[in-house]
Amino acid sequence: MMALLLTLIALFMLQVGVSLAGFQLKGDGLERTFKREGEDVLLTCGVDRSSPQCAELKWLYRRHEADDNSPIEQISFEGNVNQSLPRASRLSVTSNCSLLIRNLHSEDAGLYGCAWIRFLYILTISSSPSDVAERVDLTCSLKSFRELDDCSPGRLIWVDETGTELSGKNAEFEVNPHKQCVSVLTVKRPSGNSKKFTCKFVEDDQVMIDLVYILTE
């Protein structure tokens, strides 16, 4: 995994003509940020606006679905957001050159770079009618960067209102994990009271982020 992350950094920086010198790793890998769709996130850059470095720094972004030939998006320059971006109204650069993204969308997931390099992970749940009568599919997705879509070394799990992990298939539900970081829970539509299901991303028995979905009749 570490070799893959370093390769991604190199590709990310080389495409915009930026040297890896001055870009920093945190701990034994890149900084990772986990957020839910609809939340806000503040990605720190680690410098002060009064520093000469700040005016020279750019926020760069590579989207989740990007392939090797996709262009890098320049979010900011000279401390200001690129107003030509479709999501410019949700972006701002703070006094210490950090990047604030409001009302996160799933397509905001991806690779971000400033003085630190980080991956932004966004957890979402969507619902749709199942192929089986009187059932509904709840799809939980954790998006970050295309090459990391296998979820390794973590996994997505579903739990019910009692905190019991749901797995396999029975008369009440069916769990279908995908190769990508996606898990589909198929459940009966409730008749009367609503039901609560929680999707969790777990690494080494630690919950990195979770999201609750309340299913009504």
Side-chain angles (χ1 to χ4, degrees):
M1 176 63 71
M2 188 60 186
L4 171 60
L5 297 181
L6 291 173
T7 300
L8 289 175
I9 298 172
L11 291 173
F12 185 67
M13 295 298 108
L14 288 174
Q15 287 195 34
V16 290
V18 179
S19 170
L20 287 176
F23 282 79
Q24 303 173 55
L25 297 176
K26 282 202 168 185
D28 59 357
L30 301 179
E31 181 177 325
R32 299 182 301 164
T33 301
F34 294 87
K35 284 291 180 178
R36 304 171 185 87
E37 191 172 33
E39 292 184 332
D40 298 343
V41 65
L42 184 67
L43 303 178
T44 58
C45 195
V47 297
D48 188 89
R49 184 176 288 275
S50 61
S51 168
Q53 290 180 289
C54 192
E56 299 172 2
L57 287 172
K58 302 173 183 177
W59 272 103
L60 307 172
Y61 167 67
R62 193 166 184 202
R63 60 188 175 85
H64 166 263
E65 299 87 355
D67 56 37
D68 291 342
N69 297 317
S70 298
I72 300 295
E73 182 177 280
Q74 184 170 316
I75 294 177
S76 70
F77 50 91
E78 296 181 354
N80 298 306
V81 170
N82 180 359
Q83 294 301 313
S84 67
L85 300 177
R87 57 175 176 157
S89 61
R90 298 190 291 113
L91 305 174
S92 60
V93 179
T94 67
S95 59
N96 66 349
C97 293
S98 298
L99 178 66
L100 175 63
I101 310 175
R102 298 181 177 87
N103 186 24
L104 284 167
H105 298 177
S106 61
E107 56 265 29
D108 291 322
L111 177 62
Y112 288 79
C114 185
W116 298 105
I117 304 296
R118 58 178 47 75
F119 287 99
L120 175 60
Y121 293 76
I122 299 178
L123 186 65
T124 68
I125 297 178
S126 61
S127 64
S128 61
S130 171
D131 293 336
V132 182
E134 301 302 320
R135 295 204 171 204
V136 61
D137 290 334
L138 301 180
T139 301
C140 180
S141 303
L142 183 68
K143 293 186 176 181
S144 179
F145 196 70
R146 181 171 54 89
E147 282 82 354
L148 303 181
D149 274 353
D150 64 353
C151 247
S152 177
R155 64 191 182 102
L156 289 173
I157 64 172
W158 287 95
V159 300
D160 62 16
E161 293 171 312
T162 68
T164 301
E165 181 177 346
L166 306 177
S167 61
K169 178 181 180 180
N170 63 28
E172 297 296 323
F173 66 83
E174 179 179 0
V175 178
N176 292 296
H178 289 229
K179 181 179 179 181
Q180 288 80 17
C181 210
V182 177
S183 182
V184 179
L185 173 67
T186 302
V187 293
K188 285 185 175 180
R189 291 185 181 276
S191 56
N193 295 333
S194 60
K195 292 183 178 180
K196 183 174 73 172
F197 300 96
T198 303
C199 178
K200 300 182 178 183
F201 178 63
V202 179
E203 283 187 356
D204 298 325
D205 297 325
Q206 179 181 358
V207 177
M208 308 302 292
I209 190 169
D210 58 24
L211 183 59
V212 174
Y213 191 94
I214 297 177
L215 186 63
T216 58
E217 186 176 3

